[in-house]
Amino acid sequence: MPHYQPPLRDMHFVLDELLDLNAELAQLPAHAGLDATTVHQVLEEGGKFAAERLFPLNQTGDREGCHYDAATRSVTTPRGFRDAYQQYVAAGWPSLACDPAYGGQGLPVALNNAFYEMLNAANQAWTMYPGLSHGAYECLHAHGSEAQKQLYLPRLVSGEWTGTMCLTEAHCGTDLGLLRTRAEPQPDGSYRLTGNKIFISAGEHDMAANIVHLVLARLPDAPSGTRGISLFVVPKFLPDAQGEPGERNAIGCGAIEHKMGIHGNATCQINLDGATGWLIGEPHRGLNAMFVMMNAARLGVGMQSLGLTEVAYQNALAYARERAQGRSLSGTKASSAPADPIIVHPDVRRMLMTARAYAEGGRAFTSYVALMIDRELNHPDDAVRREAADEVALLTPIVKAFLTDNAWIATSEALQVFGGHGYIAEWGMEQYVRDARINMIYEGTNTIQSLDLLGRKVLMDQGEKLRRFGEKIRHFIVAQSADPAMAEFITPLADLAEKLVKLTAEIGGKAAADPEEMGAAAVPYLRVAGHLVYAYFFARMAKLSLTRAAGGDPFYQAKLATARFYFARLLPETAMLIRQARSGAASLMAMDFS
Ligand SMILES: Cc1cc2nc3c(=O)[nH]c(=O)nc-3n(C[C@H](O)[C@H](O)[C@H](O)COP(=O)(O)OP(=O)(O)OC[C@H]3O[C@@H](n4cnc5c(N)ncnc54)[C@H](O)[C@@H]3O)c2cc1C
């Protein structure tokens, strides 16, 4: 049976020691009264909910899956999901980082983010129900009319209603410009929506009284392509005069998908048969409004992958300590046993350390991005807010793609630690691998994230956002250059930073002559950028740990060991990636597939 222990010690290290949460919050008037102690108390309680309430439903939810009843077009979630959700709502968890004006607790994004890591580690399929609701909350909060906010936000904040994002159609996934769902204006100011959406997560279920679908559709006068897409709020039950769920709207679930992982989350075909909806924001500007939700969801998907990386690591570690096979190459370690535990073998340790390093690097990086979002939302100085927003925009595709690729690697390595037992359902490891796979696909595939990073965030911006983030890295490098103990971290960090600058210029030059060059380089480019970010955070964590390890706390020794492993074993991948990125488009485009 798998187990899960919330990684609270490492969260405290990252939030307090590495990122100085107290000082950050003190700059933000909305959070100035909050201290790290309160944050820790919330995380401790949140960790208990995740480990004690959600984790036991993870394997059972995977085995049972969701049930669809065609007669009523209803979906029943796996046993226990509904009760856990009601408990979650009763405890006020959905409102954690929401606006107090709508019943929220107004706590920082950084706290919510850490909470979501634990929820996802415990049960990704379950966590998608409240996760999507939070995205819908953010979108309506940013773009809804006052009346829409008053109606929907308090109910999304309390968790009484849940939300979805309805973009995908059978012929239209990545290329949203192809979407066909129509919205016709009605005399009363509402719209009548007709069309078919597919793959809608949490599109139908039995967990909440109403479902608030955010639907992309075209108005009759819409220009073609992405410039003709509008966003609508389409509730499952039309709210009555008191805002309570009233008449059933003509939007419903036609089927649910049978799929590789996240079986406890209902992936729905959603049919709109003249459903009533209301426009959110400006006509034809729906994609712009939906980007709020999509960006939140991209960070959310990164957190799904971080959770899976952590839980897979914890289980592989426990197994490697117990499982006895063979003898250590350097001589017997467990002389009273017929064999040594497999943790003595160098390659088993490589697999464990890979998962551990990706978990710790990912936690430091995503906590930083979450704090930048808090700055972007709440800092009193406009210029600071804008700078934080630019940084979040630059780093979001890296969070989404780098963390999800790493989780695929990490869960697979963690499974491998179990040998054949990892492939057997009982141990839970194969579920982590299956669940991790979708994260590389939805919310914009990782290819699309890479094109977004290299094309839009770096080249279209003449490298300005990248240069400003690079300045932070450069300052750190300069500040550490006199410390010989930091050389093992700073030298490779500085080397990679320089190589990324050169690589960016080279691809930019080639792409100006042939745009295929950008498409050919984007995926390895994002991975190089991801490694640069991780190298920066591991170097910063190493700096702290070098100073604090002298106190004898084994936590800091372990942190240093992980940082050293990262630089020795994972970062060198960048040499190959840079060669791939530089190799150009020719070898990809030469084949005549006809
Ligand atoms: C379990 C699950 C849950 C989902 N949940 C939701 C949801 O809640 N709401 C929702 O709206 N959607 C959801 N989706 C849909 C998901 O976001 C899409 O599957 C995804 O965006 C990719 O679209 P597609 O499947 O049509 O693939 P396609 O767009 O057909 O892409 C196929 C391949 O071509 C590549 N490709 C496509 N265009 C380009 C390009 N321009 N350049 C380079 N490569 C390209 C892609 O990277 C991919 O590898 C979900 C999907 C699944 C499987």
Side-chain angles (χ1 to χ4, degrees), residues 355-374:
R356 183 185 176 113
Y358 280 142
E360 293 184 13
R363 188 168 299 118
F365 174 38
T366 52
S367 302
Y368 173 83
V369 174
L371 268 182
M372 286 302 114
I373 298 175
D374 282 315

Side-chain angles (χ1 to χ4, degrees), residues 128 132 164-176 197-203 257 259 261-262 265-267 290 438 441-448 451 519:
M128 288 171 70
L132 281 151
T164 72
M165 55 193 298
C166 300
L167 288 68
T168 307
E169 297 175 9
H171 61 286
C172 141
T174 300
D175 187 354
L176 290 171
K197 299 285 176 181
I198 63 162
F199 296 167
I200 304 308
S201 299
E257 305 296 344
K259 55 195 193 288
I262 53 165
N265 194 271
T267 307
M290 193 50 129
I438 185 58
I441 298 172
Y442 56 22
E443 282 325 316
T445 63
N446 285 0
T447 303
I448 298 306
L451 293 170

Side-chain angles (χ1 to χ4, degrees), residues 469-515:
F469 184 66
E471 271 300 290
K472 289 193 174 174
I473 299 180
R474 200 181 64 79
H475 276 137
F476 178 73
I477 292 170
V478 171
Q480 303 309 316
S481 56
D483 181 357
M486 281 297 289
E488 62 177 308
F489 308 109
I490 290 303
T491 308
L493 172 65
D495 177 58
L496 185 59
E498 197 183 313
K499 285 186 172 137
L500 186 74
V501 171
K502 281 196 189 138
L503 181 65
T504 307
E506 183 180 325
I507 299 170
K510 288 203 281 190
D514 177 5

Side-chain angles (χ1 to χ4, degrees), residues 24-231:
E24 271 293 328
L25 296 181
Q27 294 176 41
L28 311 176
H31 304 307
L34 186 67
D35 60 15
T37 315
T38 314
V39 169
H40 295 168
Q41 282 164 353
V42 176
L43 287 180
E44 199 164 316
E45 285 308 307
K48 271 192 206 149
F49 179 82
E52 292 168 14
R53 200 65 191 81
L54 294 185
F55 188 66
L57 301 175
N58 193 43
Q59 269 188 304
T60 54
D62 179 61
R63 283 182 196 156
E64 186 187 339
C66 293
H67 310 275
Y68 178 66
D69 178 5
T72 55
R73 296 194 302 166
S74 62
V75 171
T76 309
T77 52
R79 204 182 314 272
F81 270 41
R82 191 166 185 268
D83 289 349
Y85 185 74
Q86 279 163 359
Q87 205 176 332
Y88 180 79
V89 169
W93 289 115
S95 67
L96 216 59
C98 297
D99 186 346
Y102 302 100
Q105 299 178 52
L107 290 166
V109 174
L111 168 57
N112 206 40
N113 206 53
F115 176 49
Y116 262 81
E117 179 199 320
M118 298 187 285
L119 296 180
N120 280 310
N123 196 328
Q124 172 169 331
W126 184 94
T127 303
M128 288 171 70
Y129 295 96
L132 281 151
S133 306
H134 191 76
Y137 154 84
E138 289 193 7
C139 183
L140 279 164
H141 191 269
H143 294 282
S145 67
E146 201 40 49
Q148 287 168 348
K149 289 184 189 180
Q150 293 301 337
L151 175 59
Y152 294 105
L153 290 185
R155 290 164 177 91
L156 286 169
V157 167
S158 67
E160 202 183 327
W161 296 358
T162 63
T164 72
M165 55 193 298
C166 300
L167 288 68
T168 307
E169 297 175 9
H171 61 286
C172 141
T174 300
D175 187 354
L176 290 171
L178 299 173
L179 78 81
R180 291 184 194 140
T181 298
R182 293 191 321 276
E184 287 156 46
Q186 302 299 298
D188 66 358
S190 68
Y191 292 80
R192 208 178 129 78
L193 281 90
T194 310
N196 300 101
K197 299 285 176 181
I198 63 162
F199 296 167
I200 304 308
S201 299
E204 177 59 40
H205 57 77
D206 56 354
M207 285 166 52
N210 205 354
I211 302 176
V212 182
H213 299 282
L214 299 191
V215 181
L216 289 181
R218 283 183 187 288
L219 293 167
D221 62 341
S224 61
T226 51
R227 284 172 192 201
I229 299 175
S230 304
L231 180 62

